[in-house]
């Protein structure tokens, strides 16, 4: 029991620490875990971080998404593998309302979403490959799988996404990192963040005061 509690404290600390880190800071240090074509559906003005719970679709039957929403813990990030659907969207405004009710931190759809304007109005972080007007419907086809590993492929790049990994997401994109990798990267990410933030603030103050010539 004590070991489980320590693991939880470590994960919570890791999640909180990465909320101060931009994805571009991570991208200066590694490409591992980057999901190249997953973008925010609406402007994301802060870094969203959470532990992943996965749901994989095997057909138009999207019931596993409802199951995942119920089983997810507050502040989790639901990652849905909807690659099998092609142009069809499996996520929209009503499921976004459910995610808000269940207190999720965000959602990643490896596939399409719909109801983009309503999702923007709700202000909930939804990241997806794109937007589609074609959606799924109630189906009795093959059920999806909760908690299965997701293999995300983009060109030659392949990323394995597992329940329990950490997702770090902002307006520039998404990283998914295993806990061990996230722990190893954190000190360098914090150093890089501090260096860049200091340089930016020095420039910004000079810019506001019309004193750029003093910097160069």
């Amino acid at each position: 029991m004590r070991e489980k509690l320590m693991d939880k404290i470590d994960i919570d600390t890791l999640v909180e620490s990465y909320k101060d880190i931009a994805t571009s800071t991570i991208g200066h240090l590694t490409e591992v875990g980057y999901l190249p074509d997953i973008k925010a559906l609406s402007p994301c003005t802060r870094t969203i971080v959470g532990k992943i719970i996965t749901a994989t679709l095997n057909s138009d039957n999207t019931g596993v998404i409802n199951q995942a929403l119920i089983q997810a813990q507050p502040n989790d990030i639901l990652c849905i593998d909807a690659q099998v659907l092609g142009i069809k969207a499996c996520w929209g405004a009503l499921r976004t309302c459910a995610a808000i009710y269940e207190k999720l931190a965000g959602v990643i759809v490896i596939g399409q979403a719909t109801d983009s304007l309503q999702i923007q109005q709700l202000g909930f972080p939804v990241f997806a490959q794109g937007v589609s007007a074609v959606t799924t419907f109630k189906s009795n086809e093959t059920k999806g799988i909760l908690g299965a590993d997701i293999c995300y492929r983009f060109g030659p790049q392949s990323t394995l996404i597992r329940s329990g990994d950490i997702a770090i997401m902002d307006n520039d994109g998404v990283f998914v990192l295993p806990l061990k990798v996230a722990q190893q990267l954190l000190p360098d990410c914090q150093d890089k963040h501090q260096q860049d933030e200091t340089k930016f603030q020095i420039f910004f103050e000079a810019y506001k005061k019309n004193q750029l010539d003093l910097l160069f």
Side-chain angles (χ1 to χ4, degrees):
M1 179 65 72
R2 185 174 178 179
E3 288 181 359
K4 290 183 178 179
L5 181 59
M6 286 299 294
D7 288 343
K8 182 173 179 8
I9 291 171
D10 289 342
I11 293 171
D12 289 345
T13 300
L14 200 59
V15 166
E16 288 303 313
S17 297
Y18 269 101
K19 288 181 180 179
D20 294 326
I21 307 296
T23 57
S24 60
T25 299
I26 303 172
H28 276 291
L29 303 173
T30 185
E31 296 179 22
V32 173
Y34 178 56
L35 309 186
D37 62 341
I38 306 294
K39 305 298 179 187
L41 292 192
S42 55
C44 186
T45 59
R46 59 191 174 92
T47 303
I48 310 298
V49 188
K51 188 171 62 174
I52 283 179
I53 177 172
T54 65
T56 300
L57 301 182
N58 292 318
S59 71
D60 280 347
N61 186 338
T62 62
V64 69
I65 297 177
N66 299 335
Q67 184 183 354
L69 284 167
I70 293 170
Q71 293 201 15
Q73 298 297 309
N75 302 314
D76 280 355
I77 291 175
L78 172 57
C79 183
I80 304 166
D81 181 358
Q83 296 174 87
V84 71
L85 296 182
I87 65 168
K88 291 183 180 180
C90 66
W91 188 272
L94 294 181
R95 279 190 164 138
T96 301
C97 292
I100 292 171
Y101 177 79
E102 297 294 346
K103 298 181 174 59
L104 268 64
V107 171
I108 301 168
V109 182
I110 304 176
Q112 310 301 309
T114 194
D115 302 330
S116 57
L117 290 180
Q118 291 92 332
I119 289 173
Q120 289 177 26
Q121 287 178 318
L122 288 166
F124 182 80
V126 176
F127 291 71
Q129 285 179 310
V131 173
S132 176
V134 181
T135 65
T136 56
F137 50 87
K138 190 170 183 180
S139 169
N140 293 318
E141 295 296 322
T142 306
K143 293 181 180 180
I145 305 172
L146 181 65
D149 294 351
I150 296 173
C151 184
Y152 169 89
R153 291 188 177 88
F154 185 85
Q157 180 176 336
S158 178
T159 300
L160 190 63
I161 303 170
R162 292 176 167 146
S163 286
D165 287 349
I166 297 247
I168 304 111
M169 320 186 295
D170 63 18
N171 214 51
D172 294 329
V174 177
F175 273 89
V176 174
L177 303 175
L179 293 181
K180 185 176 180 180
V181 174
Q183 287 173 330
Q184 291 171 342
L185 277 176
L186 182 59
D188 289 339
C189 285
Q190 290 172 325
D191 288 345
K192 177 65 176 170
H193 168 75
Q194 189 59 54
Q195 292 167 16
D196 289 350
E197 186 65 19
T198 299
K199 291 175 183 177
F200 178 79
Q201 289 303 326
I202 290 171
F203 179 91
F204 190 64
E205 287 301 316
Y207 175 65
K208 287 195 300 182
K209 296 174 182 178
N210 197 26
Q211 295 177 344
L212 290 180
D213 289 343
L214 298 178
L215 294 180
F216 302 99

